[in-house]
Amino acid sequence: MSKQNVIDFFQAISLDSGLQEKFSVRSLAELLFHAKNLGYEFTREDLASVVGSMEETIILKKMEEKTVGSRSNLWPKMWGKYHFKYVIEDVLSYFSEQELEELAR
């Protein structure tokens, strides 16, 4: 359920530019606290697991690169952005609703 909460949180935030701006400058501890206040309870481990799985899927399956390493074509997309904004704008956009449901399992 916690992985589903991460995905639900990402989807909700992706639809609200005001919340995106507020969350993009928050520390991880603040993000977890405020996400919980919005009804999305998850741990830093849940968050890291979901984002890591998403990035791995993008690199290996969608970009068809051979390994997840320091030279992926995905990494330049995060340059100059807050990590949260990169996840919402660049990582999340690679996935359909069905693919996100599969990641939550």
Side-chain angles (χ1 to χ4, degrees), residues 2 24 30 49 58 79 93 105:
S2 294
S24 70
E30 291 171 324
S49 176
I58 292 168
W79 294 346
S93 65
R105 294 183 195 144

Side-chain angles (χ1 to χ4, degrees), residues 32-89:
L32 295 171
F33 174 78
H34 291 288
K36 183 178 178 180
N37 287 340
L38 292 174
Y40 304 100
E41 188 167 357
F42 49 85
T43 65
R44 67 181 57 221
E45 292 80 14
D46 297 326
L47 185 62
S49 176
V50 169
V51 172
S53 293
M54 292 171 83
E55 289 175 326
E56 185 176 306
T57 299
I58 292 168
I59 292 167
L60 297 176
K61 294 182 181 172
K62 295 182 180 279
M63 293 181 156
E64 298 180 346
E65 295 179 19
K66 298 204 185 304
T67 62
V68 177
S70 62
R71 298 215 181 255
S72 170
N73 290 316
L74 180 63
W75 305 141
K77 293 181 182 252
M78 77 170 82
W79 294 346
K81 290 184 180 181
Y82 288 106
H83 190 257
F84 182 79
K85 196 167 187 104
Y86 150 77
V87 171
I88 297 299
E89 290 180 353

